[in-house]
């Protein structure tokens, strides 16, 4: 193995370490990306850091602080191009130049227009060697929600559902506890911990009375969002307890004024719109600076969310069970597709076994 190949392998290992560090702040950085950084000198790690949240220093700054004087002449690894602008914090490019580092290895170029190569150019003009696109695929996957939000001006939507082998999310009676096993449900709690919000419809509130929390998997609970046109919801339910996690209700103008007042008195945020649609909801969540949204709704709302272009990724948990029932609900309602050739095809598939269940993940175009 030649030296160049050895160095490349080392770069990949260090970049994977950056990704590990970045994930320590999962669910806490929106609208900022997840970023980790490692400082290496003479083949040894002398500093590490990650971006913990909005308004706090970026990963490179923490890593440089950790390295101290050892940063001079060192190589800094970071999974996203260092910024070169003044936002809530000073530019990282200037911190790297001031620390007199010799080299910067970045996982990917930042897609944000105010960065977009500017950080790399600034470093190179200062005489710092820069290598880009190391482990780029993994870096892009970690920040897929951040990238989507920047490019599409909309949060990244994930549709999650659990169904039986015959495609049902509940029995004909509506009973749905539990379709999948404990391991799958634990994974769902982990997925929630990476998201900024979880969305359900009014029917899910009435039938399941969910908590929509991470159930202690992490300290982070996402914003719980309910879509209900008529606000025909119970006066008492778990989601009205905002000591556990914040709750936001979207409804239409003039719907159930007495419940609106009661919810506001409980500390629940209520937003009224003229016509309630998934697109409108995602627009509001974008304005709230959210990046990743998990849709855990029933089939009717899921179909509307897909039709509105608010779903980018699907996570389907399939249990080896058959429940039957011609009228038993399915994960996705009417999409008005009459031919199998019109079916929406998932791409970049990943299939995993979770005990006796199967998780199928893929992306919609």
């Amino acid at each position: 193995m030649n030296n160049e190949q050895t160095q490349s392998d080392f770069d990949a290992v260090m970049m994977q370490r950056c990704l590990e560090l970045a994930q320590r702040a999962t669910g806490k950085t929106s609208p900022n990306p997840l970023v980790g950084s490692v400082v290496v000198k003479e083949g040894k790690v002398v500093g590490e850091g990650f971006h913990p949240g909005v308004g706090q220093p970026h990963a490179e700054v923490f890593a440089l602080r950790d390295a101290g004087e050892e940063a001079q002449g060192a190589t800094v690894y970071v999974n996203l191009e260092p910024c070169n602008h003044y936002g809530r914090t000073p530019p990282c490019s200037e911190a790297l130049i001031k620390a007199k580092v010799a080299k910067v290895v970045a996982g990917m170029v930042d897609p944000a227009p105010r960065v977009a190569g500017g950080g790399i150019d600034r470093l190179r003009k200062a005489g710092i060697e820069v290598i880009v696109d190391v482990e780029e695929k993994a870096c892009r996957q970690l920040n897929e929600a951040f990238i989507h939000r920047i490019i599409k001006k909309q949060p990244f939507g994930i549709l999650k559902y659990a169904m039986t082998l015959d495609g049902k999310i509940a029995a004909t009676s509506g009973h749905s506890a539990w379709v999948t096993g404990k391991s799958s449900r634990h994974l769902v709690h982990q997925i929630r911990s990476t998201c900024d919000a979880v969305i359900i419809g009014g029917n899910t509130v009435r039938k399941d009375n969910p908590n929509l929390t991470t159930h202690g998997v992490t300290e982070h609970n996402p914003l719980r969002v309910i879509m209900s046109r008529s606000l025909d919801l119970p006066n008492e339910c778990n989601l009205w307890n905002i000591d556990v996690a914040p709750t936001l209700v979207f409804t239409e103008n003039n719907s159930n004024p007495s419940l609106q007042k009661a919810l506001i008195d409980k500390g629940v945020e209520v937003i009224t719109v003229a016509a309630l649609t998934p697109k409108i909801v995602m627009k509001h969540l974008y304005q709230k600076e959210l990046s990743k949204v998990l849709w855990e709704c029933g089939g009717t709302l899921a179909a509307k969310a897909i039709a509105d272009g608010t779903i980018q990724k699907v996570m389907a948990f399939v249990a080896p069970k058959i429940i039957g029932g011609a009228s038993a609900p399915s994960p996705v309602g009417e999409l008005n597709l009459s031919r199998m050739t019109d079916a929406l095809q998932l791409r970049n598939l990943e299939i995993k076994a979770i005990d006796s269940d199967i998780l199928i993940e893929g992306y919609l175009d």
Side-chain angles (χ1 to χ4, degrees):
M1 184 181 291
N2 60 40
N3 289 334
E4 184 178 340
Q5 181 63 44
T6 304
Q7 184 61 45
S8 174
D9 290 345
F10 183 78
D11 286 352
V13 170
M14 289 298 99
M15 193 57 66
Q16 286 294 337
R17 177 58 183 163
C18 289
L19 296 176
E20 287 175 12
L21 291 164
Q23 289 179 76
R24 291 184 181 179
T26 294
K28 301 174 184 176
T29 63
S30 288
N32 291 354
L34 292 164
V35 185
S37 182
V38 178
V39 182
V40 174
K41 194 165 191 180
E42 297 175 358
K44 293 182 179 180
V45 174
V46 295
E48 292 186 336
F50 64 93
H51 175 53
V54 174
Q56 298 192 60
H58 290 183
E60 303 94 314
V61 174
F62 281 111
L64 290 172
R65 284 180 189 171
D66 193 32
E69 293 181 1
E70 290 290 311
Q72 186 170 339
T75 298
V76 176
Y77 293 85
V78 61
N79 58 287
L80 186 70
E81 172 189 1
C83 65
N84 188 45
H85 62 274
Y86 283 88
R88 292 181 173 98
T89 58
C92 293
S93 56
E94 297 306 320
L96 291 162
I97 294 165
K98 186 178 178 182
K100 298 181 180 178
V101 305
K103 181 178 176 181
V104 172
V105 180
M108 61 173 282
V109 174
D110 191 327
R114 61 182 182 176
V115 186
I120 293 167
D121 290 344
R122 177 71 184 99
L123 293 172
R124 286 176 174 159
K125 284 175 182 174
I128 296 172
E129 181 187 355
V130 181
I131 295 176
V132 192
D133 297 342
V134 174
E135 296 290 285
E136 183 191 13
K137 183 179 178 182
C139 292
R140 294 186 74 85
Q141 185 167 12
L142 177 71
N143 278 309
E144 62 185 2
F146 167 76
I147 295 166
H148 179 82
R149 186 181 189 279
I150 289 290
I151 294 171
K152 300 294 186 180
K153 302 288 188 285
Q154 175 180 288
F156 184 81
I158 303 171
L159 174 62
K160 187 281 302 180
Y161 57 81
M163 70 178 188
T164 59
L165 204 55
D166 54 336
K168 309 297 184 181
I169 60 173
T172 51
S173 65
H175 185 265
S176 61
W178 297 100
V179 175
T180 52
K182 284 184 179 179
S183 295
S184 293
R185 299 200 299 274
H186 180 73
L187 179 55
V188 169
H189 300 153
Q190 290 180 317
I191 293 164
R192 283 179 189 164
S193 76
T194 72
C195 296
D196 303 312
V198 180
I199 300 180
I200 60 171
N203 203 39
T204 303
V205 178
R206 289 185 291 271
K207 287 192 173 181
D208 298 343
N209 189 22
N211 288 291
L212 300 182
T213 64
T214 58
H215 291 258
V217 168
T218 70
E219 61 186 32
H220 168 70
N221 282 311
L223 172 68
R224 303 172 301 180
V225 178
I226 302 161
M227 291 178 62
S228 175
R229 281 200 180 97
S230 62
L231 207 60
D232 178 21
L233 301 174
N235 290 318
E236 298 296 330
C237 73
N238 293 328
L239 293 171
W240 306 156
N241 179 13
I242 63 162
D243 291 337
V244 178
T247 299
L248 167 59
V249 175
F250 283 93
T251 188
E252 295 191 347
N253 295 338
N254 305 315
S255 65
N256 201 342
S258 61
L259 183 58
Q260 280 195 42
K261 183 180 183 306
L263 293 180
I264 292 168
D265 289 344
K266 290 175 187 281
V268 174
E269 184 179 2
V270 178
I271 293 178
T272 59
V273 296
L276 185 57
T277 65
K279 202 176 197 81
I280 286 287
V281 168
M282 289 295 253
K283 183 177 180 181
H284 277 275
L285 297 183
Y286 173 79
Q287 290 167 351
K288 284 180 172 289
E289 299 195 321
L290 305 190
S291 297
K292 188 190 287 190
V293 173
L294 186 64
W295 292 77
E296 292 197 47
C297 51
T300 302
L301 183 51
K304 290 174 182 174
I306 290 171
D308 257 6
T310 59
I311 302 295
Q312 283 65 55
K313 185 176 183 178
V314 175
M315 302 184 75
F317 291 83
V318 184
K321 300 175 180 177
I322 294 174
I323 188 69
S327 63
S330 65
V332 180
E334 185 57 65
L335 286 173
N336 296 314
L337 303 177
S338 57
R339 299 172 63 85
M340 190 54 70
T341 48
D342 297 331
L344 303 177
Q345 181 72 46
L346 295 183
R347 56 182 174 80
N348 297 340
L349 284 180
E350 276 192 40
I351 302 173
K352 305 170 188 172
I354 304 167
D355 288 346
S356 61
D357 300 326
I358 294 172
L359 170 60
I360 302 171
E361 295 182 65
Y363 295 82
L364 289 171
D365 289 325

